[in-house]
Amino acid sequence: MTYQHHLFICTNQKSEVGKDVAKAIKKELKKQDLKSLLLGGKKRKNRVQTVGCLDVCKHCKKGPGAALVVYPEGIWYGDVQPKDAADLVAQQLGNNQPVKRLQIEP
């Protein structure tokens, strides 16, 4: 299986917003029909994976949202909340365009 995008979402917050962000992104992937793609005759998936810490705590543990990184692009996002899921899925995963308002430098 080849991943089109692989998202790692920090879940190391007391508020558990990271888990909520992961759920919202998974829901949007299904809603926008981007969970699995057929590109060049090969099936490619967008994978959402939760992790314990991405070591960008000022944008995650100490902020109002979660931090996440999208590979293979290596684009980092901070202070992400569940309400941002639709923009992340449509722009980043659907059109390979970063969501500038959420983008951070690790």
Side-chain angles (χ1 to χ4, degrees):
M1 178 69 59
T2 303
Y3 293 122
Q4 182 70 19
H5 298 96
H6 196 153
L7 287 75
F8 295 92
I9 302 170
C10 177
T11 59
N12 203 28
Q13 312 87 5
K14 289 180 183 175
S15 68
E16 297 203 9
V17 69
K19 291 179 183 178
D20 294 337
V21 168
K23 287 177 190 175
I25 290 174
K26 288 177 183 180
K27 184 177 178 180
E28 278 297 321
L29 281 168
K30 288 180 183 177
K31 184 177 176 181
Q32 296 184 33
D33 201 25
L34 292 173
K35 187 170 181 174
S36 295
L37 303 171
L38 191 63
L39 297 173
K42 292 184 180 180
K43 187 174 182 179
R44 297 180 184 225
K45 281 183 81 170
N46 286 303
R47 168 130 187 195
V48 178
Q49 186 169 342
T50 57
V51 295
C53 182
L54 290 172
D55 203 25
V56 288
C57 293
K58 67 182 177 182
H59 296 286
C60 180
K61 195 171 184 178
K62 298 176 183 173
L68 66 92
V69 61
V70 179
Y71 287 107
E73 294 89 346
I75 296 176
W76 288 79
Y77 293 105
D79 301 319
V80 178
Q81 297 183 23
K83 65 180 181 171
D84 300 313
D87 289 341
L88 280 166
V89 171
Q91 285 181 234
Q92 178 66 59
L93 306 183
N95 293 317
N96 288 321
Q97 297 295 318
V99 181
K100 298 277 187 201
R101 67 182 169 80
L102 298 171
Q103 206 169 354
I104 61 169
E105 289 293 322

